[in-house]
Amino acid sequence: MTDTLPETPMGTVHDLDDHRPRTGPVTLVKDDHAVDAVDAGGVEAVDRADNPLADWLTVPDAPVLPAWARSAASIKANVHAFMRLSWWQARYHGIRTPKYLVKTLILAARGFYRACKGLWPTLSAQDHSSAVKALRAQAKARPEDIELATRLQIAHAERTRTRRWRFGTAAVAVAGATIGIYLADPLLQTGMTAAVVAPLAHLGRSKETRLLDQGAPPLKVDMSAQQLNDALRAAGLLKAATGKEEAPRVSCSMGPVRDGRGWAVIFDLPRGGGKTASDVLAKREVIAQELGVDEIQVIMSRVRAAKGGNAGRVSLWVADDDPYLGTPNPSPLATASRFSVWDPIPFGQDARGNRIEVPIMWQSMFFGGLPRRGKTFTQRLMTAAGLLDPWVRHYVADGKGGADWMPMRAVAHRLVMGAEDDAVEALKAMLAELLVEMERRFALLRELPTSICPEGKLTPQIVEKYQLPVIFVTIDELQEYFTAMEREDREQVINDLCRIARRGPAAGFISNFASQRPDADSVPTKLREIITLRYSTQVVDRASSDMVLGKGKAAQGADASVLSEEHKGTGVLVTGPASYVTVRADYLDGPGFAALCVKGRALREQAGQLSGDAAGDVTAAADAHGVTLAPIISDALEVMRHSPRMFTNDLIAALVNLDEDTYGDYNGERLASDLEAAGVKRTSKQVKINGANGAGYQRRDIEGAVPAELLLSSAG
């Protein structure tokens, strides 16, 4: 899933002179011994090193068609681009039509003047005037010569007659054309006028005259082979010229050519310089500066041998502007009715608008980045795909305990909210449950015959036949749990997570972890290093980017620190040791995610797969029965999910963490008033927690405000 251009497959270049014998006759005739040698070695006569025609007879490994015509997708894209350009040209010139008409009339007037000036010698019979002038001069010198005077009179009369019929013919032609145009139909009038004006306007033009304005869309970025060589030389990737020798240059196997909203080029570094494609990727910022663009506009990657590349071949695409800004693309999952996690998940688009899909089976995922850059929204895309598959069981833990993951209570088999002591204990219990289930599955898979389980892994058939749903383990804000734990508990949880991420995929476990601070203290290296898929939104520097994406990834070009504050929902996705792409993730907002949770609950109820906490959730049961609970009841039950009782101050703090806009101004009196108005009857205003007494609430008192039939249905 690298961000590469379509490459031209190239064959390996051999120097045949190194293989040809220096002496001895050369023949193309296959004698018996030659035939035996060919048959034994599988070498055709044309490929023999002693064949002087080998270079000429060898079929070239170069493509026949140009780069833009090698695939249906490329042809379609270029046709679409041509239509967009034509529409732009039509609008550009259409709005300037009045201006063009005025310029045409001015040119036609100038042309009419030039036409009259050019025709005047003919109309005035200047071809006769020279004879008249000569005779007049002679007659003036010899007035007594009667014959000369007679000849002058005859020449003058001839000129007068010529002028009359020439001017008369021109006047009749102009009058006839005018009357014809006047009497013609309007459409014909337009054509006749154009037929007259167009030649006159053409006659009236000069070398500097431009009737139409510049009709080409201005390119924000321009590129040529010379600019590319200059940029690479300035970055220290090409040697400078020495003496009379020319400076080395790259060899472009494609481009530079316009490709979408940018320039594309595939080039090979010259041999002898000691530079590789990896060196080019490490100089991304310098190359961008030399090309006059921001590094976010420069997309570079190596071209591997499988695509006709080598260690010195680079694919480069330079966008006209920032390709990751603009209106976000809505997620296709928002309108889907069902989805299978065995298929790649629609994730987003790259800089060139290509759809990026991520296969997650047998994988584990890690999301990192600064706060408020879309990290949680992107992480939820993966979980959202699992919501639409009823044969996916969700285990969710949110260390922040906010509203981002609250809709999962309608679906999640286990849901842990917050990082308080009770929530930490719930997380540890959830991990222990997952490990037991993982070992149970491995024991079952080992006993299945190879006809059913050929690779010792879960299959879609095994999932439904043996009731072994795919397990999605989603943990957000990992650092909150690790910082809230004692050292021993922390080490145990880390080991449990490592076991799940390392061994779980074969048993159908998909890990989906996220953290704001992916340093060694917040998320240990031994956990991050076994994660296969990684995604990072903006981070502060290259070191932080490597912490999320893997050591050395920034030097390879996978650097999330080049992203800015405007790139919300955009990040670098690493899918393998040498595979990465900058992706603008699809957008799925909170209400859309909540709607998918409701849809996921209905799918699981139909399939008989609703289980665990979701099956016993009072609020979800109320939604399913069309009963609306007071928000204060629903939220209080949510924050007390892991606690049978809470002090008033702790309950208010948890509610503020859940929804600061609603509960930011609450105090004990207002909380008590709202709960009482919602039907809560407190059996005691004091609660005892860990030997300490204080004002607080019992969860059973709050549940008492819920209709009994909902409690019974959720318990069932």
Side-chain angles (χ1 to χ4, degrees):
M1 299 183 63
T2 55
D3 193 5
T4 59
L5 298 171
E7 295 88 358
T8 304
M10 299 292 292
T12 304
V13 177
H14 296 279
D15 189 354
L16 295 179
D17 290 333
D18 295 339
H19 303 282
R20 294 173 181 151
R22 300 303 178 187
T23 60
V26 177
T27 177
L28 293 179
V29 178
K30 293 184 180 180
D31 56 18
D32 295 338
H33 298 289
V35 172
D36 293 340
V38 170
D39 293 340
V43 180
E44 295 293 339
V46 172
D47 297 328
R48 288 176 51 182
D50 61 346
N51 182 2
L53 301 180
D55 289 342
W56 182 75
L57 294 175
T58 301
V59 178
D61 196 17
V64 177
L65 294 175
W68 62 268
R70 293 174 194 164
S71 66
S74 178
I75 294 175
K76 181 179 179 181
N78 280 277
V79 170
H80 179 67
F82 177 76
M83 293 174 64
R84 287 193 300 109
L85 177 62
S86 300
W87 175 236
W88 187 92
Q89 294 276 9
R91 290 181 293 133
Y92 181 88
H93 292 299
I95 201 171
R96 290 165 173 78
T97 300
K99 175 182 177 181
Y100 296 157
L101 290 176
V102 173
K103 291 177 67 175
T104 301
L105 292 177
I106 293 175
L107 291 176
R110 185 191 300 173
F112 181 75
Y113 167 76
R114 290 179 176 177
C116 292
K117 184 177 180 182
L119 290 174
W120 181 255
T122 301
L123 294 175
S124 60
Q126 289 187 8
D127 51 336
H128 294 271
S129 296
S130 57
V132 172
K133 290 180 180 179
L135 291 172
R136 182 180 290 117
Q138 294 177 11
K140 188 175 181 181
R142 294 181 294 173
E144 70 282 357
D145 192 338
I146 299 175
E147 181 181 357
L148 188 60
T150 303
R151 291 171 56 192
L152 173 61
Q153 185 177 10
I154 294 172
H156 188 276
E158 181 66 22
R159 186 181 68 172
T160 301
R161 286 194 299 271
T162 302
R163 284 179 174 178
R164 287 175 179 174
W165 76 259
R166 290 182 180 181
F167 274 109
T169 302
V172 170
V174 172
T178 303
I179 296 172
I181 293 175
Y182 178 77
L183 297 178
D185 294 332
L187 184 61
L188 185 58
Q189 282 181 343
T190 304
M192 295 172 68
T193 303
V196 173
V197 172
L200 292 176
H202 179 75
L203 183 61
R205 65 185 179 87
S206 62
K207 293 183 179 180
E208 296 78 18
T209 301
R210 282 185 176 273
L211 177 62
L212 302 180
D213 292 345
Q214 177 58 258
L219 298 178
K220 297 182 179 179
V221 179
D222 198 3
M223 181 184 289
S224 65
Q226 182 62 42
Q227 288 175 307
L228 176 62
N229 281 281
D230 292 343
L232 295 176
R233 190 166 289 109
L237 299 168
L238 294 179
K239 294 181 180 179
T242 56
K244 296 182 179 180
E245 295 183 359
E246 294 185 359
R249 302 170 62 86
V250 298
S251 175
C252 297
S253 58
M254 187 191 80
V257 296
R258 288 294 298 172
D259 185 5
R261 299 182 182 275
W263 288 90
V265 60
I266 299 176
F267 62 89
D268 291 331
L269 292 171
R271 298 182 182 182
K275 298 298 183 180
T276 66
S278 298
D279 296 323
V280 178
L281 301 184
K283 294 287 188 176
R284 176 185 178 187
E285 185 176 0
V286 179
I287 293 173
Q289 188 272 333
E290 292 297 327
L291 293 176
V293 298
D294 188 82
E295 60 263 37
I296 197 66
Q297 297 172 243
V298 178
I299 311 298
M300 295 192 297
S301 63
R302 287 190 57 181
V303 182
R304 294 290 181 173
K307 298 182 178 180
N310 55 66
R313 180 165 292 184
V314 179
S315 171
L316 171 67
W317 186 74
V318 182
D320 293 336
D321 47 24
D322 194 325
Y324 303 108
L325 299 181
T327 305
N329 303 304
S331 172
L333 297 171
T335 57
S337 58
R338 191 161 178 157
F339 188 82
S340 173
V341 294
W342 297 87
D343 298 329
I345 294 178
F347 188 70
Q349 294 183 353
D350 65 7
R352 303 166 75 177
N354 299 316
R355 168 58 55 182
I356 302 299
E357 296 182 336
V358 181
I360 61 170
M361 287 304 299
W362 327 123
Q363 305 287 348
S364 51
M365 299 171 286
F366 183 79
F367 293 80
L370 294 173
R372 292 171 292 279
R373 296 295 184 271
K375 170 179 58 64
T376 298
F377 277 66
T378 308
Q379 184 191 19
R380 286 194 314 197
L381 283 174
M382 302 303 189
T383 304
L387 292 173
L388 296 176
D389 190 338
W391 290 97
V392 173
R393 180 175 295 170
H394 290 274
Y395 288 73
V396 181
D398 178 16
K400 184 172 62 176
D404 292 334
W405 295 96
M406 187 189 298
M408 286 297 296
R409 62 189 175 190
V411 180
H413 182 82
R414 294 287 178 260
L415 179 61
V416 179
M417 301 294 291
E420 293 76 18
D421 292 343
D422 293 335
V424 170
E425 292 301 321
L427 174 65
K428 292 162 59 179
M430 184 182 82
L431 296 179
E433 179 182 337
L434 287 169
L435 291 174
V436 171
E437 175 64 15
M438 184 174 66
E439 297 302 332
R440 183 184 76 86
R441 293 189 175 205
F442 279 128
L444 175 60
L445 293 175
R446 285 194 298 267
E447 296 177 358
L448 293 177
T450 56
S451 60
I452 299 177
C453 186
E455 298 182 1
K457 295 181 180 180
L458 209 63
T459 65
Q461 294 74 25
I462 294 176
V463 166
E464 297 192 21
K465 182 176 181 180
Y466 294 93
Q467 297 290 305
L468 297 177
V470 175
I471 291 182
F472 222 108
V473 184
T474 302
I475 303 180
D476 194 10
E477 308 295 354
L478 265 173
Q479 78 282 349
E480 296 294 332
Y481 290 112
F482 291 149
T483 56
M485 294 178 184
E486 298 294 335
R487 181 175 180 180
E488 293 183 359
D489 290 341
R490 183 173 181 270
E491 290 299 323
Q492 182 60 49
V493 168
I494 291 172
N495 290 334
D496 292 345
L497 291 173
C498 288
R499 289 179 61 189
I500 293 172
R502 183 171 50 250
R503 299 184 61 229
F509 284 53
I510 301 173
S511 300
N512 184 17
F513 304 151
S515 174
Q516 288 183 8
R517 301 194 308 272
D519 52 60
D521 294 331
S522 300
V523 183
T525 303
K526 70 177 182 179
L527 174 59
R528 281 185 281 121
E529 290 303 318
I530 61 176
I531 303 296
T532 53
L533 300 177
R534 304 185 185 191
Y535 181 85
S536 177
T537 56
Q538 183 195 13
V539 292
V540 294
D541 52 30
R542 292 166 67 94
S544 298
S545 179
D546 280 349
M547 286 182 182
V548 181
L549 302 177
K551 186 177 180 181
K553 287 295 185 291
Q556 298 176 11
D559 184 9
S561 65
V562 303
L563 301 173
S564 65
E565 290 77 5
E566 291 78 15
H567 295 126
K568 292 183 178 180
T570 298
V572 180
L573 174 67
V574 172
T575 57
S579 301
Y580 66 89
V581 60
T582 302
V583 183
R584 189 181 186 191
D586 294 334
Y587 182 66
L588 180 64
D589 59 11
F593 183 72
L596 286 181
C597 289
V598 174
K599 190 181 298 184
R601 182 181 180 91
L603 290 172
R604 283 158 178 76
E605 288 177 342
Q606 295 172 7
Q609 290 298 308
L610 189 65
S611 60
D613 294 348
D617 189 271
V618 174
T619 304
D623 294 338
H625 286 77
V627 177
T628 302
L629 295 179
I632 187 64
I633 297 293
S634 175
D635 293 343
L637 289 175
E638 182 59 39
V639 299
M640 296 181 71
R641 173 181 293 271
H642 313 295
S643 305
R645 62 189 66 84
M646 289 183 71
F647 292 127
T648 300
N649 291 337
D650 293 340
L651 179 57
I652 293 176
L655 290 171
V656 171
N657 183 55
L658 182 67
D659 188 350
E660 185 175 1
D661 293 336
T662 302
Y663 301 107
D665 298 330
Y666 265 57
N667 53 29
E669 291 76 11
R670 183 175 178 182
L671 177 63
S673 175
D674 287 358
L675 287 174
E676 183 177 356
V680 175
K681 298 180 180 180
R682 300 169 70 180
T683 57
S684 174
K685 295 184 179 181
Q686 295 288 318
V687 295
K688 186 175 183 180
I689 303 175
N690 296 329
N693 288 312
Y697 292 84
Q698 301 277 356
R699 187 172 63 195
R700 63 173 181 266
D701 292 342
I702 299 177
E703 289 178 345
V706 179
E709 61 272 15
L710 293 181
L711 293 175
L712 291 175
S713 64
S714 62

